Amino acid sequence: MASCENLFKPLQVGPVTVRNRIASSAHVTNFGVDGCPTERHAYYLAEKSKGGIGLIIMEAIRVHPTTHPGPKAIGGYNQRALPGLKMVVEMVHHYGAKIFLQLLHMGRQTVSTETYQPLWAPSAIPCPTKKEIPHAMTREEIGEVVEGFAYSTKLAKDAGFDGVEIHGAHGYLIQQFMSPFSNKRTDEYGGSMENRLRFAREVIDAVREAAGTGMAVGIRLSGDEFSDGGLTLDDMQEIVPLLAGAGKLDFINVSHCNYNGLSFATMIPDMHFPFAPFGYLAAGIKQVVPDVPVFTVGRIVDPLQAEQIIADHQADMVCMTRATLCDPELPNKARSGRLDEIRNCVGCNQGCVGMMHRGFPITCLQNPTVGREKELGIGTLRPASQPKKVVVIGGGPAGLEAARVAALRGHRVVLLEKRSELGGQLIAAASIPCRQEIGGVYRFLSLELQRLGVEVRLGVTATADSVMAENPDVVVVATGSVPVLPEYEGSGSAQLATPNDVALGIVDVGQRVMVVDDDGHYRATSVAEYLADQGKEVRIVTPRSVEGSDIVLISWITQHQRLRNLGVKIMTGTVVREVNGSTVTLEDVYAGERWEVEGVDSIVVAGLRQAEDQLFHTLRGRGAKVVAVGDCVAPRYALEAIREGHLAARQI
Ligand SMILES: Cc1cc2nc3c(=O)[nH]c(=O)nc-3n(C[C@H](O)[C@H](O)[C@H](O)COP(=O)(O)O)c2cc1C
Ligand code: SF4
């Protein structure tokens, strides 16, 4: 059995002893109400503590009103958040983890429609992504924000936090001052390195003083801004010893990037990035401050990889943030050698940052208990008082999760799947090389069914009679959905196909392919990428304002880059109107202008789907309790399917 012995050695972070080397770095949850933390925060973070994590860095609190983007974020500039923060600390401590609080001013990297205040920044230069021109801070305003950091530190101390992390990364205010990319001041806060570091040093000193003894004080920094004219690893190797000198900092948490195009896309790297792509940055910082604990972050999901990072002295602490969001029990499972039982984060960015950026509370595509730990968390699964015979029809994500949860509760579960393998529509999604990792979702669930003794029958087409012949107490129908191809006007001829047909190699789409993105998700864009990668001439046509419009920006950016690099043409605000032979007539949705594209061999349409609900309706009234979950209720995505499968199995 592979061991993680280094990963489970305690780490001294200033005055704080952390029980192991696994941390969860700060992440906004949108669980806040009225700018205050809630019970939801407390249960969510306590779940990670229960799962065995060493250190939690709680999401950023806002040190000043000029950086408070709405009521779901936490304000740290008055006393209102104190009771909620205390509750969080108590619950996390109860299960043994230490907890630090992140302190943040976003500077220009937000918008005033969120803060209701002009943005404050070192210079009146807009953020490349947010585009709003900020106000160049006066000396008095700089002093006010420094005081804000101190005030929030005091709040953290009063709430019982073990430490604070100053957010000096991701292009936020402190980094804006440090970097020539965003700081063009000519006073004592701009120009030379010494001057650009002045604000950071003032903040560190003020925070240190407010923290007093007994609390750890550290900083999160970008090891590289990945921006022309911005800070590089070389710069940071010079800067970090200057900031951390004389014991001023108890840890350095090395992240990377700012909000500048492709740099922004690296912040929360998705499945298109390799594992641990930025570990070299932490290793580079470790070289220059060997005596200060250095944290690393970024798509580290496998405890064995984390173990290697620690064993190789690349870093002292490994942040496994989404990994422990997806499976909060990862540390305990790794510690007890149950590596196969870990539900690995697949880097889809759909439930976590995807929801966060849309303004919703975070969740996880694979773990529907996120944010609902009080009702659904560890230890809440009631064993069945009377084990029942449960027949699940359909081995897609909804059926697999329903079968898993029902089996965990002690029911006798039989799963019937008409295909020769489990996974449902995720099989097609994972057949596309750039989306392969999504297959981890059904591989994990399939392994769990095996472990839990679920009887899986493949290649079985269920009918109402064959299902009832099983004498089930409960039938869970998870029969999914089928695509509906449109009927375009005209004489037709260019072949119509679905993304799944392409992904599974069922059709030959020819050389010139039009991909219709009526879906906004990955179905169209990933197929377009796949086909273009094979050297085909690909056009995406979408009625929306961008292709893949529902893909979170952080992931959309790199996908767009890949599509463009592969020569994919993208036509937005456009629909297909007619198909005549290989000529396709397109129309601008809003202006009504029409034009023709000639020589189209195939049109791949990611659009309407229809629920496969016949079996559900036939089974009702046949004696057993029948519930439907996932796409056969209404066609959506894996996230909704897994959530419904999970919740339904809890009700059995
Ligand atoms: C939903 C979400 C919100 C985040 N919010 C913050 C934040 O408030 N402060 C911060 O420093 N990093 C934030 N991050 C970045 C994470 O701390 C971390 O650097 C990133 O998720 C990569 O680590 P991972 O691959 O272990 O998840 C956020 C990440 C996610 C997924
Ligand atoms: S939603 Fe996707 S990326 Fe986010 S934690 Fe879950 S599996 Fe990982």
Side-chain angles (χ1 to χ4, degrees), residues 92-104:
V92 166
H93 279 168
H94 183 73
Y95 298 104
K98 300 294 184 203
I99 180 161
F100 298 171
L101 184 58
Q102 191 179 58
L103 313 177
L104 171 67

Side-chain angles (χ1 to χ4, degrees), residues 509-545:
V509 290
Q511 180 59 20
R512 289 155 306 177
V513 189
M514 187 171 276
V515 177
V516 175
D517 178 10
D518 240 348
D519 169 90
H521 208 258
Y522 280 104
R523 283 191 182 111
T525 49
S526 63
V527 157
E529 183 177 346
Y530 176 52
L531 292 172
D533 209 25
Q534 293 167 29
K536 297 186 190 294
E537 209 180 285
V538 181
R539 255 190 192 84
I540 296 179
V541 170
T542 177
R544 306 197 190 187
S545 52

Side-chain angles (χ1 to χ4, degrees), residues 95-160:
Y95 298 104
K98 300 294 184 203
I99 180 161
F100 298 171
L101 184 58
Q102 191 179 58
L103 313 177
L104 171 67
H105 195 296
M106 299 172 84
R108 65 180 186 167
Q109 289 187 170
T110 178
V111 286
S112 59
T113 38
E114 285 185 327
T115 62
Y116 297 107
Q117 312 254 356
L119 306 182
W120 283 9
S123 304
I125 306 168
C127 153
T129 297
K130 298 290 182 180
K131 298 288 182 204
E132 184 170 329
I133 301 169
H135 159 72
M137 293 165 74
T138 63
R139 287 191 183 83
E140 291 70 31
E141 287 159 349
I142 290 172
E144 209 180 296
V145 173
V146 171
E147 275 172 30
F149 273 96
Y151 184 94
S152 296
T153 306
K154 185 73 181 31
L155 194 67
K157 192 176 173 72
D158 292 345

